[in-house]
Amino acid sequence: MSIRKGLALAGALMVLGAASASAQEYTIRASHGESTDSALHRGWQVFEAYVESASGGKIAVEIAPAGQLGSMTDALEQAKSGAIQMAHGDEQTMSTFYKPMLILATPYLFANDEEGMAFVDTPFFMETREKMAEESGLRLLAAASYGFRNFTNNVHPIKTAADMEGIRMRVPPSPMSLKMVEAMGGSPTPVPWVELYGAMQSGVVDGQENPTGVALDYSFYQVQKHMTLDSHQLGLNTLMMNEAFFQSLPVDLREIVVTGARMAANTEYGERNFQARVSAVDKLRELGMEVYAPSGEEVETFRTAVKEPMRAYLQEELDPAFVDAVYSEIESMRAASRAAVE
């Protein structure tokens, strides 16, 4: 290649590079707390790929995984302040920033994952999401189920609420979790996450409650004999965005961001759902755990035991009219679902 042609090529590449740089108008710096081999991270990778492509390079996405920017609460604080643009939330942590989100962590509120995720997208709850954006500065873009929490223990199979009597059940430091186990006659015992395995191994607690995949990933089958698939609390991973940044985007780019977030949530949910209902359950049985799937009538004993205590607690913590409206909305959803198949 001649020097003249080489200079011309270099000049052309510089022009293309400058054009590419100028096309990028926004950067989304994002944080989540899970490893790069998790279903959640794969979802966020889908978000990155879609948003960068669909925006024609106007938006660049930079993901910091595995808690590189701090705990979930730390990262949400950073997103709230605008230090970063996106962060990972869940059904427990969101209420720290906007208390009505506490409703999503209510035990036995949802019959299944689909019902829970559909509720989050109802016009009724969209109003709550908008109020959260206005009052907290954090916008919930999309939510993915990562599975229901289930009970495990070393005493005996828990088939109905009565079987919880006297069992020392580890719970996170959540008033709702404490009241749930108390309502069943169990002995709720708060234990920090980092001490949980040792507490089960030594007999400080008889059991714990977490999604099925957690019991597998953290080898709880080595120190727990029985699992009950009672599905008492829906886990929701959420993609949260700084509201001021969201509003700064042109409408077409906002739509791209919301679509990308929904794609991310769908990606995570598909993998998590298979794990929670098939692969993790099969593997735990293979590894020696006794996994019990209660009947509808047996699950109803759990629901009945906790419904009124949970509702009373929520009405103390939140606007009673809001709590009543939530229960009414879910009943309406169920009625519509039944009508669709009758």
Side-chain angles (χ1 to χ4, degrees):
M1 180 185 295
S2 68
I3 293 176
R4 180 178 295 176
K5 288 183 178 179
L7 290 172
L9 178 59
L13 290 173
M14 288 177 66
V15 169
L16 286 172
S20 176
S22 64
Q24 181 187 319
E25 299 173 15
Y26 303 93
T27 300
I28 295 175
R29 293 178 295 278
S31 169
H32 72 70
E34 298 194 15
S35 68
T36 54
D37 63 356
S38 67
L40 179 143
H41 182 68
R42 284 187 278 277
W44 285 62
Q45 286 179 306
V46 168
F47 173 83
E48 177 183 6
Y50 175 77
V51 168
E52 290 188 342
S53 174
S55 70
K58 291 181 180 179
I59 301 177
V61 179
E62 300 171 0
I63 300 171
Q68 292 175 8
L69 300 184
S71 68
M72 184 183 295
T73 301
D74 291 337
L76 285 167
E77 288 285 4
Q78 293 172 58
K80 178 178 179 177
S81 71
I84 60 177
Q85 287 67 49
M86 283 187 69
H88 163 207
D90 67 13
E91 79 289 348
Q92 300 275 0
T93 312
M94 285 190 297
S95 64
T96 304
F97 296 86
Y98 187 64
K99 198 167 184 179
M101 288 294 173
L102 180 67
I103 200 78
L104 295 177
T106 305
Y108 302 105
L109 182 65
F110 301 117
N112 53 60
D113 313 71
E114 292 292 327
E115 183 176 271
M117 292 191 299
F119 172 78
V120 171
D121 285 337
T122 58
F124 167 81
F125 201 70
M126 286 299 295
E127 292 183 14
T128 303
R129 290 166 61 170
E130 288 297 327
K131 289 177 182 176
M132 180 180 188
E134 293 170 9
E135 296 183 25
S136 75
L138 290 169
R139 174 172 290 271
L140 195 167
L141 296 176
S145 165
Y146 61 86
F148 278 91
R149 298 174 82 93
N150 295 304
F151 292 116
T152 69
N153 83 100
N154 275 326
V155 179
H156 54 235
I158 298 175
K159 297 183 178 181
T160 68
D163 294 326
M164 187 73 76
E165 183 72 34
I167 290 181
R168 292 167 297 175
M169 184 65 64
R170 180 269 177 181
V171 293
S174 158
M176 197 173 287
S177 297
L178 287 165
K179 291 179 182 296
M180 172 186 69
V181 174
E182 283 177 350
M184 298 178 192
S187 178
T189 309
V191 174
W193 170 256
V194 294
E195 300 174 16
L196 175 54
Y197 188 94
M200 292 187 291
Q201 189 174 41
S202 64
V204 170
V205 295
D206 300 314
Q208 62 84 50
E209 44 87 51
N210 263 298
T212 310
V214 172
L216 177 62
D217 293 345
Y218 291 89
S219 303
F220 289 174
Y221 54 86
Q222 295 177 345
V223 291
Q224 295 279 274
K225 183 171 179 61
H226 307 285
M227 170 176 278
T228 301
L229 302 178
D230 67 294
S231 300
H232 56 264
Q233 189 179 55
L234 179 61
L236 288 171
N237 277 330
T238 58
L239 293 93
M240 310 295 294
M241 176 167 274
N242 175 273
E243 174 65 1
F245 176 80
F246 182 79
Q247 295 298 337
S248 75
L249 297 172
V251 173
D252 62 324
L253 295 186
R254 286 184 217 166
E255 185 176 8
I256 287 170
V257 164
V258 171
T259 300
R262 289 180 177 277
M263 288 181 174
N266 289 338
T267 299
E268 178 184 5
Y269 171 54
E271 186 170 337
R272 297 278 199 185
N273 195 30
F274 180 73
Q275 179 192 47
R277 300 188 180 279
V278 182
S279 62
V281 172
D282 288 349
K283 188 64 176 179
L284 287 170
R285 283 182 170 136
E286 180 184 319
L287 291 165
M289 281 195 89
E290 295 180 6
V291 182
Y292 182 74
S295 67
E297 292 77 12
E298 288 169 331
V299 170
E300 193 58 34
T301 68
F302 295 104
R303 292 182 182 276
T304 300
V306 306
K307 184 175 181 179
E308 290 310 315
M310 288 298 100
R311 192 159 182 168
Y313 170 73
L314 289 168
Q315 288 178 329
E316 290 174 3
E317 295 294 317
L318 305 175
D319 178 1
F322 171 72
V323 175
D324 292 342
V326 167
Y327 279 90
S328 176
E329 178 70 19
I330 292 172
E331 284 304 316
S332 295
M333 290 173 61
R334 289 175 184 164
S337 179
R338 286 192 296 270
V341 296
E342 286 178 350

